[in-house]
Amino acid sequence: MTKHGNEAVNLMADLHSRMIGLPLTFRERVCNECNWSIPTFYRKMRPSYRIVNGEKEAIITLLSNAEKEKIIAVSDEVYKEFWDYCEKYRKRNGRH
C-alpha cells in the first residue's frame, strides 16, 4: 500500500477505480466537444440497418471528419490524464 495524504491507498483498487471511470469521462467529453446528447452518443456508436432485397444489412453510422478529429483528441486527452495519474506509482516503484 502507498500513502495518499493521511490515508493508505491500495494501488490496484485506486487504478481500477480510475479505469472504470474512463468510459464515462470519455463519453462526457465527446458529448461536450461534439455538442451531442448522451442518446446521440450511443446512437452514433451502434450500427444502423437497412433492408436490401429482403435482407437486413448493417450500415456504419458515418461521422464527419471534424467529429472524428474531436473524438481522437478527446481519447488522447483522457488516456494521457490516466497515464499521468499513474506516474506517481511508477516513480515509487523505480520505473520511469
Side-chain angles (χ1 to χ4, degrees), residues 36-49:
W36 293 345
S37 66
I38 291 173
T40 298
F41 175 88
Y42 286 107
R43 188 174 54 252
K44 293 239 183 201
M45 272 195 351
R46 72 174 185 259
S48 299
Y49 295 95

Side-chain angles (χ1 to χ4, degrees), residues 5 8 11 17-20 24 27 29-30 33 37 40 43 48-51 61 63 68 74 81-82 86 90-91 95:
L11 171 123
S17 175
R18 284 284 181 160
M19 286 178 142
I20 62 173
L24 297 176
R27 182 190 70 194
R29 292 193 188 170
V30 167
E33 289 292 325
S37 66
T40 298
R43 188 174 54 252
S48 299
Y49 295 95
R50 66 179 175 186
I51 305 298
T61 304
L63 299 169
K68 289 176 186 177
V74 167
E81 287 170 8
F82 179 71
C86 294
R90 282 186 214 94
K91 286 181 179 178
R95 293 183 60 208

Side-chain angles (χ1 to χ4, degrees), residues 51-65:
I51 305 298
V52 176
N53 298 325
E55 299 281 328
K56 190 159 96 169
E57 182 179 284
I59 305 170
I60 297 173
T61 304
L62 298 178
L63 299 169
S64 71
N65 288 337

Side-chain angles (χ1 to χ4, degrees), residues 76-87:
D76 289 346
E77 289 170 14
V78 170
Y79 177 78
K80 183 174 181 338
E81 287 170 8
F82 179 71
W83 180 266
D84 291 346
Y85 180 82
C86 294
E87 189 62 25

